[in-house]
Amino acid sequence: MSSIWGDNIKISVFGESHGLAVGVVIDGLPPGIPLDTRKIDFEMKRRRPGQNIYTTQRTETDKVEIVSGFFNGFTTGTPLCGIIKNNDKRSTDYEDIKNIMRPGHADYTGFVRYNGFGDYRGGGHFSGRLTAPIVFAGAIANQYLEQKGIVIGTHLLQIGNIQDESIDSVNVTTKQLQLFRSMSFPVVNEQVQDKMKEEINAARMECDSVGGILETSIINLPAGIGAPIFDSVESRLSAFVFSIPGVKGIEFGTGFKLSSMRGSDANDEFYISKDKAGCSTVNLNCSDTYNREISKNTPENNIPRTRTNHSGGINGGITNGMPVLFRTCIKPTSTISKPQHTINIDTMQETEHIFKGRHDPCIAVRAVPVIDAAAALVVMDLLLEKEV
Amino acid sequence: MSSIWGDNIKISVFGESHGLAVGVVIDGLPPGIPLDTRKIDFEMKRRRPGQNIYTTQRTETDKVEIVSGFFNGFTTGTPLCGIIKNNDKRSTDYEDIKNIMRPGHADYTGFVRYNGFGDYRGGGHFSGRLTAPIVFAGAIANQYLEQKGIVIGTHLLQIGNIQDESIDSVNVTTKQLQLFRSMSFPVVNEQVQDKMKEEINAARMECDSVGGILETSIINLPAGIGAPIFDSVESRLSAFVFSIPGVKGIEFGTGFKLSSMRGSDANDEFYISKDKAGCSTVNLNCSDTYNREISKNTPENNIPRTRTNHSGGINGGITNGMPVLFRTCIKPTSTISKPQHTINIDTMQETEHIFKGRHDPCIAVRAVPVIDAAAALVVMDLLLEKEV
Amino acid sequence: MSSIWGDNIKISVFGESHGLAVGVVIDGLPPGIPLDTRKIDFEMKRRRPGQNIYTTQRTETDKVEIVSGFFNGFTTGTPLCGIIKNNDKRSTDYEDIKNIMRPGHADYTGFVRYNGFGDYRGGGHFSGRLTAPIVFAGAIANQYLEQKGIVIGTHLLQIGNIQDESIDSVNVTTKQLQLFRSMSFPVVNEQVQDKMKEEINAARMECDSVGGILETSIINLPAGIGAPIFDSVESRLSAFVFSIPGVKGIEFGTGFKLSSMRGSDANDEFYISKDKAGCSTVNLNCSDTYNREISKNTPENNIPRTRTNHSGGINGGITNGMPVLFRTCIKPTSTISKPQHTINIDTMQETEHIFKGRHDPCIAVRAVPVIDAAAALVVMDLLLEKEV
Amino acid sequence: MSSIWGDNIKISVFGESHGLAVGVVIDGLPPGIPLDTRKIDFEMKRRRPGQNIYTTQRTETDKVEIVSGFFNGFTTGTPLCGIIKNNDKRSTDYEDIKNIMRPGHADYTGFVRYNGFGDYRGGGHFSGRLTAPIVFAGAIANQYLEQKGIVIGTHLLQIGNIQDESIDSVNVTTKQLQLFRSMSFPVVNEQVQDKMKEEINAARMECDSVGGILETSIINLPAGIGAPIFDSVESRLSAFVFSIPGVKGIEFGTGFKLSSMRGSDANDEFYISKDKAGCSTVNLNCSDTYNREISKNTPENNIPRTRTNHSGGINGGITNGMPVLFRTCIKPTSTISKPQHTINIDTMQETEHIFKGRHDPCIAVRAVPVIDAAAALVVMDLLLEKEV
């Protein structure tokens, strides 16, 4: 069931790029979350196309109509459905090329999967446009997380060959992450911004595209979230992140570099922190009935922390109270306007083709708010894990 | 629900490292799969500890007792339960250190998650020993896949600083993958084997551990497996792979290197293959009722393939018939016998500790059959996706 | 997660009685089902309110807008979303009485469940109006089933104290069931129709309501559908049927009367039928690979049947090829215009109240197409159970 | 997936009647539930066969071996697996008759469903023996519920033509329900006990069997449990109850009799109770963050209750704080020793057969603890629903 996700909240995503609308039903939201629609609009705007030359020129207002589950300013607790109309459709762009399988794209695999019945216009249900309802759902999750002090932010660690600095994995701050959310090119070192834009523009001018790496931080998560084996935080985050078009790799904490390290370097040693910045031992899993005196020696300002954060805040699949950190690799946009060799699925002949139509020269940029939304939804789902 | 996984088959893993047994219930297996128990034993032996100096010295026969779901040599179609006794337990090893939180391990996070009630002996339910029932379940899935010609194999691409060659992503062969399964140190270039062993032994002699990278190939998968958005092949594989202790990163195809590539290089161009080696267009998703004449132009020896395989055989979350390729990063074993700083969770004091007990100096080696099992289970689950 | 249902297809229902719209997302539909929108309209019209004096006077066209998943006359295989606008809303009817808990209704329990944040207007998400998207989803499932010859139909076995005849549990025909679907008061013995209408009208004139029993038949289901234990056909049907407002009982085959029978009477004896009317041994669960010669002695006109049908076509949770039969008890509509004692949840005072607003004097009548839809969705979900 | 059940706890049942063992894995149990194994043994004994002439003469000790998830007297929070050996197996009883399809039993449907690969001995996975692990799981759930004051009990409302009195649906007491649990023939009016035993014995002497009706009460459930539409308490309870072999009907509260009632009689009028016996307004769904002052007017001794209980404690799918009441119809045991006509599935010939082997002359009696276990598991699952 490819378009439903979640355990404690469930989102059901629907729509095609050139159909009437895209949208999402969110089931399992707690009742009584006050929703600020301006914050939703803000997140939608972060993802919206057509805002500058570094993104596709399709223009959509991406205004969400909330159809249900929202009453008198609060969530009702029953399913919340949001719908986003498709306005700027040029479906004729696709009629001529419906049998030409774009290399790197889902044209061929979608054709086989859906036996030729899929809506081929603009990628149909495979379109990056389906990330709009995900961003909407994430914007709601984010307002839930804000109330708990949990903050998520992502920056462009790499675009093509241009690299930003990595975040400080131990001391990443709310301020830094909020700054990322306000930037259209979020980076740690602002001096690389122009170089990144040049990198994208260079690809664009050559009718080509370029990839990138995003680095995401989640802070103020309590220790004890997630579970061993199949509900590890890494499993849950990676499963969602690989649902975003173009993602081809993910790593947590020090990631692939851990392969060449020794355990004595990679292990994050614990100590007792005397301040409570950036972490918490609030145990969401304590039962009223059976609660042992776990916290007797744990005054609020006396908290286990680690001096390094190679694990990305996750041990054994469960948060340890340190920042959760992961990096996502985004491949270059598949649809490019350079001539490419491919096949015609109807004639089963090889052909060379130039794909016109509008596309992002670097989807990594617009993936930033989508990754933030994914992280918010996963974290909310894990936090709502039943209390026992 | 951390220990149940799957959509079309479901596995429910149970047990603790030092309890009576570990095991698994597999629900949803098709009836009538002939099971060769020698093949199960073979897979269990690949993972078994105590076979050489590069692994933990705990000795377990890891013989599986099949309790249900297997009758007269075939699966019955009702739940199959396999149980593996724990024999070589030295629980007293752990009594003294139950309050000492091993850095990098799940001791602290498990303590918080389970409110101090978890079985702390040998890592309890967090132990790598829980991969034994996964290997058992994978051995059954693998016999199902064998009948369809699907082959999975993994080699050690990197141990510490020693690197093997990458597999040929377009032309990986059944023979190569079967060879990997027969090797205790599977590599492409056998000349690196000794260097890898030295790297592990060096860490072991220093009471330390070392990480690694595994590269896995799945061949002969038909095109059209998986789904857009939440059931992408990458989502499903990554979620399972991150359930294996020590995994900290995964990438598909060319992976993180795609970030610095252009679309024109990264896109895999299609062509029509005249032979059928290594791929298939058998459409598992054709309905009898509604089947369109998809294959009219697709004789068996006239198959879409790609000349490169940067996508790792997956476009838009769905297989394209090329080899599925992914690389997994395994961190160095957390438990080491070097002195480390940490905390006592009972006294909430900092302390320095040397962890004794038996452990693998490089879990990447024993992770090989576990990754193979994970891949087999995911692929079987995706193949069993309802026909439509 | 109260508003998502299904295993192989999943439906996600949303909306409130007096919000913008109600609707449903259907995920997992096979691609390539040709949909006749007139058949959808026909089913919607069966449920639509305001068509005669025996139903509520709220008038809604209940035209469904299909937003996604439907392209060029066929299902695409990706999520199909249908939206039904709410037009005839009189929300002010409810403002005054929002704190008055209607006896028998979900006002109080919904208030507690959703902590007072629910949309109280017209029952909100608890409204019978939420059966409109279920009927829409069922209309699609029904077109899928039609292609396989499976027919579902329901008649009013009882309204108040007026009883219709029971269907012939062994020889129920397609013609009879199709006749039921075309009748606004479906009965076997048409002479009871007027008496039933009088029974309803009598209740209506006294500002009261009345209950009923529906009898549903599903024919031409192959043997072998369903599963032991938790996926029994009875479990799956009852779970959905109890999701329909007002249902308080369900029984299969001879039902509660089996309690006073002997096994020798209750057991349905098997024989070999020489004709193939009304049943089939088509085994949906045969694997291509492992298929045993199950059917060697089963020519199409040589089929196991039973001479009686006390089991309602289900043995051990699995269909046996005979008609599946069940009866559903619907309580009298809760909302009535007679004075009733109840409480004000705000003041926590007792009060007497007359509830105005529009309601059905007998919801059993409009429940007929809803039960048909429920049965169609359950049967489709069971049929789509993976083939192996 | 027929043998896995649950949302917040999940149970995975495995085993066959004449295999090595039957058992269950329970995932999602809260950590820290103190388990009294004597209470488990007590529940197992209630279901155990061979205790008197009214049940099958198969003798099993039904001692459960807890393999995992239980440590130092408490649940660990990780999966708890319990295994029950099959000792008194007479598999040869079944070899001769494996092709003779018992009328009313799952022999034929199971043969079709599993393509002839099922374990036919003693009903295999369809056997009533599979209720043993359900009773075990229910015994654990029951200890969880006891701590919250929730009590469940069932009596034999009818055996054949002998009827017990119905429970007082408004004032059922803990004492009464605990008494039921201690009786091997639980009834309200003890004078019907002997008549019921005679009814069973009469059937037994005639090589026949007889059915019955069970009436179950659940008291002290807080208001607000369950959900509209698909997670109605009726949906959840009925789905589980129909998983128990032999169940053919279920009704809640006044049940089928509601069909002939008027709304003014069927509606349960609310009042404000000044004592707190038998109910509670504890709101499990209050969020810490968003909690409105719902209880300001709700002192503990000032509670909404209803004067009648036709709804069986459930309005709109959600508990209202009154006793939850349901009745279950159990058909007569299918396996009887009278000659019956049936078919041989191998030869596809009709035949007459006398089935020997051991069976219960009235499974309704031994179904009592199974229904109690089912109710306990459903209630626990609903209570663990995430707090919001």
Side-chain angles (χ1 to χ4, degrees), chain C residues 106-384:
Chain C
D107 293 343
Y108 171 62
T109 57
F111 183 89
V112 176
R113 174 70 174 80
Y114 294 111
N115 211 2
F117 288 103
D119 182 348
Y120 47 79
R121 299 169 301 168
H125 193 60
F126 290 84
S127 168
R129 183 146 181 78
L130 270 291
T131 60
I134 289 173
V135 167
F136 166 67
I140 291 173
N142 210 46
Q143 295 192 42
Y144 174 82
L145 299 181
E146 273 180 350
Q147 306 243 359
K148 298 178 181 296
I150 297 165
V151 185
I152 297 167
T154 296
H155 70 110
L156 298 162
L157 183 65
Q158 188 179 323
I159 294 291
N161 289 305
I162 310 303
Q163 286 217 310
D164 188 22
E165 293 165 24
S166 228
I167 201 91
D168 178 336
S169 66
V170 172
N171 295 309
V172 53
T173 63
T174 296
K175 189 179 163 192
Q176 175 72 80
L177 299 182
Q178 284 171 341
L179 183 62
F180 288 161
R181 295 183 91 99
S182 70
M183 300 166 82
S184 56
F185 263 76
V187 286
V188 174
N189 176 355
E190 298 201 18
Q191 303 190 332
V192 302
Q193 254 183 359
D194 285 346
K195 290 182 192 162
M196 285 182 170
K197 289 182 183 176
E198 281 163 30
E199 187 89 355
I200 296 171
N201 211 27
R204 190 176 68 89
M205 297 300 281
E206 295 172 38
C207 300
D208 212 334
S209 62
V210 67
I213 297 177
L214 311 185
E215 186 173 64
T216 302
S217 309
I218 310 169
I219 62 172
N220 299 335
L221 267 178
I225 305 304
I229 314 192
F230 301 119
D231 269 347
S232 78
V233 174
E234 292 105 328
S235 291
R236 295 299 312 281
L237 279 169
S238 68
F240 201 126
V241 165
F242 278 116
S243 304
I244 300 168
V247 174
K248 279 297 186 180
I250 192 169
E251 60 179 10
F252 292 84
T254 298
F256 274 87
K257 286 185 188 145
L258 287 162
S259 59
S260 54
M261 288 173 73
R262 288 285 179 88
S264 53
D265 293 322
N267 286 341
D268 302 310
E269 294 189 325
F270 289 102
Y271 72 102
I272 306 292
S273 169
K274 299 301 179 196
D275 75 87
K276 53 178 183 172
C279 71
S280 161
T281 55
V282 173
N283 180 357
L284 292 194
N285 299 287
C286 288
S287 123
D288 286 337
T289 315
Y290 305 114
N291 196 359
R292 275 218 259 164
E293 288 294 298
I294 182 176
S295 54
K296 68 182 168 192
N297 297 309
T298 316
E300 258 187 83
N301 57 351
N302 209 354
I303 286 169
R305 281 176 64 84
T306 62
R307 296 196 186 275
T308 52
N309 191 10
H310 295 296
S311 73
I314 308 165
N315 295 142
I318 297 174
T319 56
N320 64 12
M322 297 295 292
V324 168
L325 291 166
F326 64 92
R327 278 175 295 283
T328 307
C329 163
I330 314 269
K331 69 171 185 173
T333 318
S334 303
T335 308
I336 55 176
S337 304
K338 263 192 164 167
Q340 293 180 98
H341 293 92
T342 188
I343 59 170
N344 179 313
I345 196 69
D346 188 50
T347 63
M348 283 300 276
Q349 299 297 318
E350 298 178 10
T351 180
E352 195 182 34
H353 198 85
I354 295 176
F355 294 91
K356 291 175 188 141
R358 302 162 294 177
H359 63 268
D360 291 83
C362 177
I363 45 170
V365 180
R366 283 177 62 216
V368 169
V370 184
I371 298 278
D372 284 347
L377 287 161
V378 171
V379 168
M380 183 178 183
D381 197 39
L382 289 170
L383 282 169
L384 287 174

Side-chain angles (χ1 to χ4, degrees), chain D residues 1 7 21 31 53 68 143 181 225 235 238 240 269 343 371:
Chain D
M1 211 63 48
D7 289 338
I53 62 166
S68 66
Q143 295 192 42
R181 295 183 91 97
I225 304 304
S235 291
S238 69
F240 201 126
E269 294 189 326
I343 59 170
I371 298 279

Side-chain angles (χ1 to χ4, degrees), chain B residues 200-263:
Chain B
I200 296 170
N201 212 27
R204 190 176 69 88
M205 297 300 281
E206 294 172 39
C207 299
D208 212 334
S209 62
V210 67
I213 297 176
L214 310 187
E215 186 173 63
T216 302
S217 309
I218 310 169
I219 62 172
N220 299 335
L221 266 179
I225 304 304
I229 314 193
F230 301 119
D231 268 348
S232 77
V233 174
E234 293 105 327
S235 291
R236 296 297 313 279
L237 279 169
S238 70
F240 201 127
V241 164
F242 277 116
S243 304
I244 301 168
V247 173
K248 280 297 187 181
I250 191 169
E251 60 179 11
F252 292 84
T254 299
F256 274 87
K257 286 185 187 145
L258 286 162
S259 60
S260 54
M261 287 172 73
R262 289 285 180 89

